[in-house]
Amino acid sequence: MAGPQTNSNRSLDFVDMRDAGKDRGVMGAKEKTSKVDAPEPDVAAANDRAAEKKASWVDRKIDQLISESSAALLSQQARDGHWAYELEADVTIPSEYILLNHYLDEIDDKVESRLAVYLRRTQGEHGGWPLYYDGDFNISASIKAYYALKLAGDDPDAPHMKRAREAIRAHGGAAKSNVFTRFALALFGQVPWRAVPVMWVELLLFPQWFFFHIDKVSYWSRTVMVPLMVIEALKPRARNPRNVDIQELFVTPPDRVRRYNSNPTGHWVGDLMLLIDRVGRQVQPFFPGPLRNIAIGRAMNFVRKRLNGDDGLGGIFPAMTNTLMAFDALGYPKDHPDYVTARRAVDKLLVFQDDSAYCQPCLSPIWDTGLATHALLEAGMKPDNPALTKASEWLAERQILDVQGDWAKNRRKLRPGGWAFQYRNDHYPDVDDTAVVAMFLHRADELGNQEVIDRAVEWIEGMQSGDGGWGAFNADNTHYLLQHIPFADHGALLDPPSADVSARCISFLAQIGFDKDHPSVARGLEYLRREQEGDGSWFGRWGNNYVYGTWSALCAFNAVGEDPSEPHILKAVEWLKSKQRDDGGWGEDCASYWQHRRDEVKASTPSQTSWAVLGLMAAGEVDSKAVERGIEFLLRAPRENGKWKEDYFNAVGFPRVFYLRYHGYSAYFPLWTLARYRNLRRGNARRPFYGL
């Protein structure tokens, strides 16, 4: 990804958020004591001086970091007004990039050698590769990384390759990998095609009422599956010009493995689906050829309609690579405009560092810009500052107003009005980005952005699901029986409502003036109350994890004016306080998405600490010891290149399957937190005024 243009000469142009002549900087003011317990006058005076000195240091440090972090954030803004930080996933993405090149015989040794450096650096002490920083061994990621390194020229007898091979075989070998990995291996002739579930492209011809229909799955599943169905129907073979194989990773020769596919959930419906898959494999060769060709044509019409320029199908790497391989399987020449466009979209995701490189799963400019602008407003930047004006204009131009995306299949009469996550992805806006962007535009210039905000309100209200919550990209995407099909072993086929997304929508509606009795808000609040966990937290579908979900929910309750003394708020506050670590911060490992590991923590992180403190302040806890300690953690935490240092992954694509590290989170969330703390302590309010 090309780096954003910097402009270090712009004035920060901040508003002074403090009350004139007042400084409420003394933290932990001493309480009145009886004569018996009162310290000697000189001791008491010394304690007061120490408290004042500490408070003075904290205030100066907060002001300093807000100023420095704001300047650093501004320096990362592109000339057209947006922000776009790197978005890092696990090694499957750069590994698949190398596999794609060798599948197509478009090998680029210079790029692949740098990707190989990244793969070697991220190898775990267990010998394989994890799904997230400092995570456990994952067999599918490890197989792809090993194969990619071998394709890139690494000697299989090299120490790191030996360690990886031994770890993979110790975990059952390549036959134990997930469906997507086995699909890649089938393309390279490493496993037979019976190693993957049957994916009838003819299903695209079935009516919407049929048990399985492409409109019933999530947007990401849809964009990945449609070109994949074409590939499965044609069963092409990778060029693999260097004839690299990985047979050494199999414990049992792949042709002799009797059962590859398994029931992903253990439910009886899954067993039935496996039986249907076995029967379907027997009858598939007898399907009429003309019918298959019609289905392939429908699939490619779907793809071409949503090709999305050099932002790619669905704006996500797996859909883009499947598109490119489908074009190749259908005999598209390499200079065909659609092929060239699809290739460019994939290459746009590369990030080059000093001697290494990796491939991003997608780009996040709308999300980064929305959150960065909130942080700058909180830090005191005037809404008419040129930096925020440019950001407002850039965002407003990207509101999707004239494309009825796939979401419209369930909301046919609803006008579009949302934002996507990427630069362009008009068929797939999401309510989470829409709420965040619209809250910023409302806060920056309510009257000037009224028409833009009204369309966002209309779309978000219309996307509310029947249970009162909101999914990210679809309404009522709750066809849970589909989770039992063999293809769905990743457990992320659907896009049902979630607490964090629903909370964001409620926060937006409340910020623009909807009260808690408004039908949409009332239903949303009831959904949030139902979704609260027994311990007081909320699950974080798109951020890591319960800290993220709980922060989101507390923001929504604050925005509607919920009394902080309500039992569900008190319970959430107590949960957050109970999870604070000895260093004052909060940290929650990606393993928390497994229920039996939900309390696992490795280290406190700036992002998670920021969410916890923001959540506590939303519940009226600005003067609490927990908030004070959280702020002190952020003041002490290491910083580099203008932002807080954060190695741990802080978000999730699919729980237990695919994790993310937003490089921008440690730039704007700690800044946002420190600024809000300063504003609340030095102002008259004890709770935030805004939805976020």
Short mmCIF file of all heavy atoms in Angstrom, two decimals, residues 182 186 191-197 235 253-261 277 281:
data_model
loop_
_atom_site.label_atom_id
_atom_site.label_comp_id
_atom_site.label_asym_id
_atom_site.label_seq_id
_atom_site.Cartn_x
_atom_site.Cartn_y
_atom_site.Cartn_z
N ARG A 182 -7.31 -27.41 1.93
CA ARG A 182 -7.39 -28.60 1.08
C ARG A 182 -7.80 -28.24 -0.35
O ARG A 182 -7.37 -28.91 -1.29
CB ARG A 182 -8.37 -29.60 1.69
CG ARG A 182 -7.92 -30.14 3.04
CD ARG A 182 -8.61 -31.44 3.40
NE ARG A 182 -10.06 -31.39 3.33
CZ ARG A 182 -10.87 -30.97 4.30
NH1 ARG A 182 -10.34 -30.54 5.46
NH2 ARG A 182 -12.17 -30.97 4.17
N ALA A 186 -5.73 -29.28 -3.56
CA ALA A 186 -6.33 -29.99 -4.70
C ALA A 186 -5.95 -29.32 -6.02
O ALA A 186 -5.67 -29.99 -7.02
CB ALA A 186 -7.84 -30.05 -4.54
N VAL A 191 -3.75 -33.28 -3.12
CA VAL A 191 -4.79 -34.15 -2.58
C VAL A 191 -5.80 -34.40 -3.70
O VAL A 191 -5.93 -33.58 -4.63
CB VAL A 191 -5.52 -33.54 -1.36
CG1 VAL A 191 -4.56 -33.35 -0.19
CG2 VAL A 191 -6.20 -32.22 -1.72
N PRO A 192 -6.55 -35.50 -3.65
CA PRO A 192 -7.60 -35.72 -4.64
C PRO A 192 -8.76 -34.76 -4.42
O PRO A 192 -8.95 -34.23 -3.31
CB PRO A 192 -8.01 -37.17 -4.39
CG PRO A 192 -7.67 -37.42 -2.96
CD PRO A 192 -6.44 -36.61 -2.68
N TRP A 193 -9.58 -34.54 -5.43
CA TRP A 193 -10.69 -33.61 -5.31
C TRP A 193 -11.74 -34.08 -4.31
O TRP A 193 -12.52 -33.27 -3.81
CB TRP A 193 -11.32 -33.35 -6.68
CG TRP A 193 -10.56 -32.31 -7.44
CD1 TRP A 193 -9.65 -32.51 -8.44
CD2 TRP A 193 -10.62 -30.90 -7.23
NE1 TRP A 193 -9.14 -31.30 -8.87
CE2 TRP A 193 -9.72 -30.30 -8.14
CE3 TRP A 193 -11.34 -30.08 -6.37
CZ2 TRP A 193 -9.53 -28.92 -8.21
CZ3 TRP A 193 -11.15 -28.70 -6.44
CH2 TRP A 193 -10.26 -28.13 -7.35
N ARG A 194 -11.76 -35.36 -4.00
CA ARG A 194 -12.70 -35.81 -2.98
C ARG A 194 -12.32 -35.29 -1.59
O ARG A 194 -13.09 -35.46 -0.63
CB ARG A 194 -12.76 -37.34 -2.96
CG ARG A 194 -11.47 -38.04 -2.58
CD ARG A 194 -11.64 -39.56 -2.57
NE ARG A 194 -10.37 -40.24 -2.32
CZ ARG A 194 -9.85 -40.41 -1.11
NH1 ARG A 194 -10.50 -39.96 -0.04
NH2 ARG A 194 -8.69 -41.03 -0.96
N ALA A 195 -11.16 -34.65 -1.46
CA ALA A 195 -10.74 -34.08 -0.18
C ALA A 195 -11.50 -32.81 0.17
O ALA A 195 -11.39 -32.33 1.29
CB ALA A 195 -9.24 -33.80 -0.20
N VAL A 196 -12.26 -32.27 -0.79
CA VAL A 196 -13.04 -31.06 -0.52
C VAL A 196 -14.51 -31.34 -0.77
O VAL A 196 -14.86 -32.22 -1.57
CB VAL A 196 -12.58 -29.87 -1.40
CG1 VAL A 196 -11.13 -29.52 -1.09
CG2 VAL A 196 -12.74 -30.18 -2.87
N PRO A 197 -15.41 -30.65 -0.08
CA PRO A 197 -16.84 -30.86 -0.29
C PRO A 197 -17.25 -30.51 -1.72
O PRO A 197 -16.63 -29.66 -2.37
CB PRO A 197 -17.50 -29.91 0.71
CG PRO A 197 -16.44 -29.59 1.70
CD PRO A 197 -15.14 -29.65 0.97
N LYS A 235 -12.22 -27.76 -12.22
CA LYS A 235 -11.11 -28.52 -11.64
C LYS A 235 -9.79 -28.34 -12.42
O LYS A 235 -9.20 -29.29 -12.91
CB LYS A 235 -11.46 -30.00 -11.54
CG LYS A 235 -12.58 -30.29 -10.54
CD LYS A 235 -12.88 -31.76 -10.43
CE LYS A 235 -13.88 -32.06 -9.34
NZ LYS A 235 -15.16 -31.35 -9.49
N PRO A 253 -0.36 -41.28 2.91
CA PRO A 253 -0.42 -40.77 1.54
C PRO A 253 -1.81 -40.25 1.22
O PRO A 253 -2.82 -40.90 1.55
CB PRO A 253 -0.05 -41.99 0.70
CG PRO A 253 0.80 -42.82 1.59
CD PRO A 253 0.24 -42.63 2.97
N PRO A 254 -1.92 -39.08 0.60
CA PRO A 254 -3.22 -38.44 0.42
C PRO A 254 -4.25 -39.28 -0.33
O PRO A 254 -5.45 -39.20 -0.04
CB PRO A 254 -2.88 -37.15 -0.34
CG PRO A 254 -1.50 -37.34 -0.86
CD PRO A 254 -0.82 -38.26 0.07
N ASP A 255 -3.82 -40.13 -1.26
CA ASP A 255 -4.77 -40.97 -1.99
C ASP A 255 -5.36 -42.07 -1.11
O ASP A 255 -6.38 -42.66 -1.46
CB ASP A 255 -4.09 -41.59 -3.21
CG ASP A 255 -3.85 -40.57 -4.31
OD1 ASP A 255 -4.62 -39.59 -4.37
OD2 ASP A 255 -2.91 -40.74 -5.10
N ARG A 256 -4.69 -42.36 0.00
CA ARG A 256 -5.15 -43.44 0.87
C ARG A 256 -5.94 -42.93 2.08
O ARG A 256 -6.43 -43.74 2.88
CB ARG A 256 -3.94 -44.27 1.33
CG ARG A 256 -3.31 -45.08 0.20
CD ARG A 256 -1.98 -45.67 0.59
NE ARG A 256 -2.06 -46.43 1.84
CZ ARG A 256 -0.99 -46.88 2.51
NH1 ARG A 256 0.24 -46.63 2.04
NH2 ARG A 256 -1.15 -47.58 3.62
N VAL A 257 -6.05 -41.62 2.22
CA VAL A 257 -6.87 -41.07 3.30
C VAL A 257 -8.33 -41.30 2.95
O VAL A 257 -8.81 -40.90 1.89
CB VAL A 257 -6.61 -39.56 3.48
CG1 VAL A 257 -7.54 -38.97 4.54
CG2 VAL A 257 -5.16 -39.32 3.88
N ARG A 258 -9.06 -41.96 3.83
CA ARG A 258 -10.43 -42.35 3.51
C ARG A 258 -11.43 -41.22 3.75
O ARG A 258 -12.41 -41.10 3.03
CB ARG A 258 -10.83 -43.57 4.36
CG ARG A 258 -10.02 -44.83 4.04
CD ARG A 258 -10.55 -46.03 4.78
NE ARG A 258 -11.95 -46.29 4.43
CZ ARG A 258 -12.70 -47.21 5.05
NH1 ARG A 258 -12.20 -47.91 6.05
NH2 ARG A 258 -13.97 -47.40 4.69
N ARG A 259 -11.19 -40.42 4.77
CA ARG A 259 -12.19 -39.40 5.11
C ARG A 259 -11.50 -38.05 5.37
O ARG A 259 -10.75 -37.91 6.32
CB ARG A 259 -12.98 -39.84 6.33
CG ARG A 259 -14.10 -38.88 6.71
CD ARG A 259 -14.92 -39.42 7.87
NE ARG A 259 -15.99 -38.51 8.24
CZ ARG A 259 -16.85 -38.73 9.22
NH1 ARG A 259 -16.76 -39.84 9.94
NH2 ARG A 259 -17.79 -37.86 9.50
N TYR A 260 -11.77 -37.10 4.49
CA TYR A 260 -11.24 -35.76 4.65
C TYR A 260 -12.26 -34.81 5.30
O TYR A 260 -11.93 -34.02 6.17
CB TYR A 260 -10.85 -35.17 3.29
CG TYR A 260 -9.51 -35.65 2.76
CD1 TYR A 260 -9.45 -36.68 1.83
CD2 TYR A 260 -8.33 -35.05 3.17
CE1 TYR A 260 -8.22 -37.10 1.32
CE2 TYR A 260 -7.10 -35.46 2.67
CZ TYR A 260 -7.06 -36.49 1.74
OH TYR A 260 -5.85 -36.91 1.25
N ASN A 261 -13.50 -34.90 4.84
CA ASN A 261 -14.52 -33.96 5.29
C ASN A 261 -15.14 -34.42 6.59
O ASN A 261 -15.29 -35.62 6.83
CB ASN A 261 -15.59 -33.80 4.21
CG ASN A 261 -15.02 -33.25 2.92
OD1 ASN A 261 -14.30 -32.26 2.94
ND2 ASN A 261 -15.33 -33.89 1.80
N ASP A 277 -23.42 -34.92 0.71
CA ASP A 277 -22.18 -34.63 -0.02
C ASP A 277 -21.65 -35.89 -0.71
O ASP A 277 -21.22 -35.84 -1.87
CB ASP A 277 -21.14 -34.07 0.95
CG ASP A 277 -19.83 -33.70 0.27
OD1 ASP A 277 -19.79 -32.67 -0.41
OD2 ASP A 277 -18.85 -34.47 0.40
N ARG A 281 -21.49 -36.38 -4.75
CA ARG A 281 -20.24 -36.64 -5.47
C ARG A 281 -20.43 -37.73 -6.52
O ARG A 281 -19.80 -37.72 -7.58
CB ARG A 281 -19.16 -37.04 -4.46
CG ARG A 281 -17.76 -37.02 -5.04
CD ARG A 281 -16.75 -37.40 -3.96
NE ARG A 281 -16.89 -36.55 -2.78
CZ ARG A 281 -16.39 -35.33 -2.68
NH1 ARG A 281 -15.75 -34.80 -3.70
NH2 ARG A 281 -16.55 -34.63 -1.58
#
